């Protein structure tokens, strides 16, 4: 699991089903817990596990959706909801061990994980729910789109009555106004092929929640279901950062379309070219390095660089991307400079550029020489 934070892996076997999890402590004593549910095809059945959440200061609990070898939407196997009882038991035990209440918890997920975040958030009273491109009619979706998952959850015969049960679990909670104090953040897009059947018919029920927020993303870069969350990682993280700090933003329903891939950039390109710091040789010539001579052998101490730089007020000396010095240029254009410490023995590739009164820079001049402890100056 690529992350820069120390991560603990465990199995909670106190419920009817063992639940695998990963956990990382909060930063700077933050008093919040973010619970992450996995999307379909998440690596190793853990969602958002690539390090993208490392900036959150909250505790983070990732829950794996792998029960008896299959995905379950964190709900059931063969309509046995012992999976759900085990998952909510894990969340409550972790939150309790941290001394946190449901008001201090954010449930987070995309696609399948978004459905789980909504379900657990509404049913069990967690304050914050962040759900990107969830499926609301879960039974129909797994039966028609992922029948292997459907058989694992619904039973081998994919019985219509079982499909109907899973189709109703989210709509029934919303219709009942479950957890009315929830801060709900939904992300979806009309470019998602699932939007018309899996999201649009249900948004109206969420609008009754006082702090329901909907990012309706119309980016031209979104071409299918999987691209919606990917394109909205920055706003999702912005929401997550605020929630982890105890701040619940309220922006309502907003259309998100701040991209024009084919927009004409020539005016700004012209501006950038006219005001660029780096000038070409015809406008501002590179400085001349008179000493040391190219490919010469020099002592490790006492190497004096000299040269000229027409139109410059100073030159800047660098090696391997590290700044070495910035000698002034005299009225006659001449400059000289000596390193204030010995040169390490071996080859050196030094670059010098000139800077004029306004701060514009010339092209680079370069000289390569070799320093040796017993070489004669020259």
């Amino acid at each position: 699991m690529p992350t820069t934070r120390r991560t603990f892996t465990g199995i909670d076997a106190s419920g009817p089903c063992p639940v695998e999890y990963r956990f990382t402590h909060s930063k700077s004593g933050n008093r919040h817990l973010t619970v992450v549910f996995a999307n379909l095809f998440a690596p190793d059945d853990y969602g958002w596990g690539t390090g993208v959440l490392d900036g959150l200061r909250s505790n983070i609990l990732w829950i794996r959706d792998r029960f008896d070898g299959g995905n379950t939407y964190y709900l059931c196997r063969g309509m046995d909801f012992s999976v759900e009882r085990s998952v909510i038991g894990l969340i409550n035990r972790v939150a309790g061990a941290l001394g946190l209440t449901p008001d201090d918890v954010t449930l987070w997920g995309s696609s399948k994980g978004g459905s789980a975040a909504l379900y657990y958030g509404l049913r069990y009273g967690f304050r914050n729910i962040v759900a990107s491109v969830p499926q609301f009619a879960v039974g129909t979706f797994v039966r028609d789109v992922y029948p292997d998952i459907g058989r694992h959850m619904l039973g081998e015969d994919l019985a219509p009555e079982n499909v109907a049960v899973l189709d109703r679990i989210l709509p029934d909670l919303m219709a009942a106004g479950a957890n009315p104090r929830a801060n709900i953040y939904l992300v979806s897009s009309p470019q998602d092929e699932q939007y018309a059947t899996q999201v649009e018919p249900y948004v109206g029920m969420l609008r009754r929640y006082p702090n329901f927020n909907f990012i309706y993303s119309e980016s031209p870069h979104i071409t299918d279901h999987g691209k919606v969350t990917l394109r909205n990682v920055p706003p999702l993280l912005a929401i997550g950062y605020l929630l982890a700090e105890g701040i619940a933003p309220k922006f309502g329903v907003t259309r998100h379309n701040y991209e024009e891939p084919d927009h004409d950039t020539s005016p700004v390109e012209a501006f950038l070219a006219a005001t660029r710091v780096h000038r070409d040789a015809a406008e501002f010539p590179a400085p001349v390095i008179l000493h040391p001579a190219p490919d010469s052998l020099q002592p490790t101490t006492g190497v004096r660089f000299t040269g000229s730089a027409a139109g410059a007020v100073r030159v800047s000396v660098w090696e391997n991307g590290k700044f070495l010095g910035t000698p002034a240029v005299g009225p006659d254009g001449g400059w000289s400079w000596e390193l204030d410490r010995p040169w390490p023995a071996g080859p050196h590739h030094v670059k010098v550029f000139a800077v004029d009164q306004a701060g514009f820079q010339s092209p680079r001049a370069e000289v390569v020489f070799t320093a040796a402890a017993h070489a004669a100056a020259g």
Side-chain angles (χ1 to χ4, degrees):
M1 183 178 188
T3 177
T4 60
R5 293 166 67 168
R6 185 183 180 193
T7 303
F8 300 85
T9 301
I11 300 173
D12 179 14
S14 59
C17 302
V19 185
E20 297 176 74
Y21 70 87
R22 290 170 176 165
F23 176 84
T24 187
H25 286 290
S26 68
K27 297 180 179 181
S28 306
N30 179 274
R31 301 292 296 152
H32 198 82
L33 172 65
T34 301
V35 179
V36 183
F37 298 100
N39 54 296
L40 288 163
F41 308 117
D44 206 24
D45 298 306
Y46 287 101
W48 294 77
T50 61
V52 70
L53 298 180
D54 277 358
L56 288 180
R57 289 205 283 233
S58 68
N59 302 277
I60 306 175
L61 172 67
W62 292 268
I63 304 177
R64 191 184 192 203
D65 185 21
R66 176 63 56 167
F67 297 91
D68 285 347
N71 291 154
T72 66
Y73 272 70
Y74 300 90
L75 291 172
C76 60
R77 306 164 300 171
M79 299 305 290
D80 175 0
F81 284 80
S82 58
V83 169
E84 177 188 344
R85 297 194 297 275
S86 301
V87 170
I88 189 58
L90 167 64
I91 297 171
N92 286 337
R93 276 184 282 278
V94 172
L98 292 168
L100 302 177
T101 72
D103 281 355
D104 307 313
V105 176
T106 294
L107 302 187
W108 179 287
S110 56
S111 193
K112 170 170 66 71
S115 302
L118 279 165
Y119 178 73
Y120 280 87
L122 295 178
R123 178 163 185 183
Y124 295 102
F126 293 102
R127 190 61 177 275
N128 305 317
I129 302 167
V130 180
S132 180
V133 290
Q135 293 87 39
F136 284 84
V138 173
T140 296
F141 182 76
V142 296
R143 180 197 64 192
D144 295 346
V145 182
Y146 294 105
D148 287 344
I149 296 175
R151 282 186 285 272
H152 190 67
M153 295 176 65
L154 300 162
E156 286 298 322
D157 58 354
L158 299 171
E161 59 271 23
N162 293 344
V163 173
V165 169
L166 292 193
D167 276 352
R168 293 305 312 169
I169 59 170
L170 271 172
D172 284 353
L173 285 169
M174 295 186 294
N179 192 12
R181 296 173 60 244
N183 303 309
I184 302 173
Y185 304 90
L186 174 67
V187 176
S188 195
S189 171
Q191 289 109 291
D192 178 0
E193 68 276 14
Q194 300 174 20
Y195 178 77
T197 57
Q198 285 293 334
V199 177
E200 187 176 29
Y202 307 96
V203 171
M205 286 188 281
L206 287 173
R207 287 178 183 268
R208 296 198 292 265
Y209 283 79
N211 195 19
F212 168 60
N213 305 276
F214 184 22
I215 297 177
Y216 185 78
S217 188
E218 298 179 280
S219 167
H221 297 284
I222 294 174
T223 56
D224 55 40
H225 175 80
K227 297 292 192 303
V228 182
T229 300
L230 185 64
R231 203 64 192 171
N232 282 280
V233 168
L236 283 166
L237 289 178
I239 293 167
Y241 292 152
L242 289 170
L243 294 175
E245 303 302 319
I247 303 168
K250 186 171 185 177
F251 51 81
V253 177
T254 182
R255 302 174 78 91
H256 174 52
N257 182 16
Y258 279 91
E259 296 162 318
E260 294 182 41
D262 300 322
H263 180 70
D264 179 16
T265 62
S266 58
V268 73
E269 294 293 340
F271 168 78
L272 295 172
T275 58
R276 69 190 187 281
V277 168
H278 298 97
R279 299 305 201 188
D280 58 36
E283 298 174 292
F284 189 14
V288 175
I289 301 173
L290 298 174
H291 188 273
D295 302 315
S296 61
L297 185 66
Q298 300 290 329
T300 54
T301 60
V303 181
R304 177 156 290 275
F305 282 66
T306 63
S308 62
V313 295
R314 60 185 175 88
V315 296
S316 190
V317 186
W318 297 73
E319 184 181 27
N320 299 326
K322 294 182 179 180
F323 173 73
L324 300 181
T326 180
V329 176
D332 62 351
W335 61 273
S336 66
W337 170 81
E338 185 175 326
L339 188 64
D340 60 1
R341 58 189 179 276
W343 291 92
H348 294 276
H349 187 171
V350 176
K351 297 183 179 182
V352 182
F353 62 85
V355 182
D356 70 10
Q357 186 68 48
F360 291 110
Q361 299 177 10
S362 74
R364 275 55 177 160
E366 303 180 11
V367 64
V368 177
F369 68 95
T370 300
H374 303 295

